[in-house]
Amino acid sequence: MSQTADSTLAINGGDEAAANLAVPDWPRLSETGRENVIDCLDSTHWCKQYDAATYAEAFEEAFAAYHDADHAIGVTNGTTAIQVALRAVGLRPGDEVLVTAYTWVSTAMAVVLCGGIPRFVDVDPNTYNIDPAAVRNAITDETAGVVGVHYAGYPIDLDELVPICEEHDLFFIEDCAHAHGSEWRGKKVGTFGDAGTFSFQQSKSLTAGEGGIVVMNDARVAELAKCVHWMGRDPGGKLGHILNASNHRISEFLGALLVGQLEQLPEQNARRQANEAVLVEELSGIEGIHTKPRDDRITNRGYFCLNFRYEPSVFGDIDRETFVEALQAEGVPAHLGTHNAEPLYRQLAFVRERLATHVPSTEELPNYQTMHLPGVEEIARTNVTLTHQTLLADREGMEAIAAAVRKVKAHTEELT
Ligand SMILES: Cc1ncc(COP(=O)(O)O)c(C=O)c1O
């Protein structure tokens, strides 16, 4: 266990408790990725081709194989991945979709951009994931499907949620933007629902700066996704353009880079997992720090970040912002989270008049402005985040993070 000689908090001029925490830069370029991009630049294939072998197609095949899935279609980003998936599973304008309410805005925005009405569903504050019981309670005759997020890479309880969707004949899209490599009972997430969507934006643990992909097993869904991501072109190649759709193709350069980046994901996730185990073990021994529960059904983990909840009453009533500032001063790159201060359902984008520009409805559209979801608001008040690259440091670094938390806790009187 790391000790600090100087017990004065670093925010007040003392030594940093986590001075030996070395967080690597992100992103990390793989050698294969570099070589592929140069090869692509030197070639005459700078664009995904409809029926020719390209890096984009090679990446789609590699990503599908990594997921033991039958199909994968590369797209421009994780938001369009959800849009393509929603159209491929048959969402129609005016349909209602149950959406996890603690997520990045894209998860709900994609529904609106497809003409659907998002119905925000509360999360379990212990896991940050959509609560299957709340899903069951929210289902009405208007519900067409569910979009859930494996938040921070920690899988949704799929034993609970998948049967609910099946029982009610709802589509289920897994937003896996945080969950590259996560597994539930030995099977990769993204393959439990009708489609799994991923983002390769810079902050993600598999990245090409931007990019996205949709993973599917059903041939009909895959055919529609192919059509939707390519200007509504007939996948059979005979009928021209059969749907109104935009160009969502992934760039060939991103495909080239991602083929290489994917190779390093399993090793990086193994390191993150080993470090997370050390850190969670240490943090869970500190009263007032709430880590996510250990669940043996989670057989492998991908990561967007590591979250824990902070309970000020056990830390001398020091507010979360001050606690995080004190931790940062100790050398821990903690932050309050990547979402807006206001919950998703109170973002102006989702007020009735703005929804109405995209969503046809004969009924009055929902008013989210007065909504309160206790799970979401509990997390928004108490969450502390560490990035996934922090988990690429070493074991001593993890112990130093926990030592920094203990140090701040032991010296809260310096912060009042
Ligand atoms: C949960 C979730 N879904 C979707 C997205 C959208 O991904 P992109 O930024 O590639 O559009 C993000 C991005 O952060 C996300 O966190």
Side-chain angles (χ1 to χ4, degrees), residues 77-79 82 103-104 106-107 149 175 177-178 199 201 204 211:
N77 56 57
T79 312
I82 305 168
T103 177
W104 176 241
S106 302
T107 318
V149 174
D175 178 349
H178 296 180
S199 162
Q201 180 269 339
K204 306 305 186 308

Side-chain angles (χ1 to χ4, degrees), residues 128-204:
Y128 294 40
N129 283 335
I130 194 164
D131 177 358
V135 168
R136 191 182 277 286
N137 289 336
I139 295 170
T140 68
D141 290 346
E142 313 306 319
T143 311
V146 177
V147 186
V149 174
H150 300 292
Y151 196 87
Y154 186 103
I156 299 169
D157 187 333
L158 294 161
D159 288 0
E160 292 287 329
L161 188 55
V162 171
I164 294 173
C165 295
E166 284 170 356
E167 189 187 320
H168 293 271
D169 201 17
L170 305 178
F171 66 72
F172 174 35
I173 293 174
E174 299 172 69
D175 178 349
C176 306
H178 296 180
H180 312 78
S182 291
E183 286 179 12
W184 181 260
R185 296 189 184 276
K187 187 174 159 193
K188 292 262 176 348
V189 303
T191 59
F192 286 82
D194 297 277
T197 63
F198 293 80
S199 162
F200 305 121
Q201 180 269 339
Q202 160 132 1
S203 63
K204 306 305 186 308

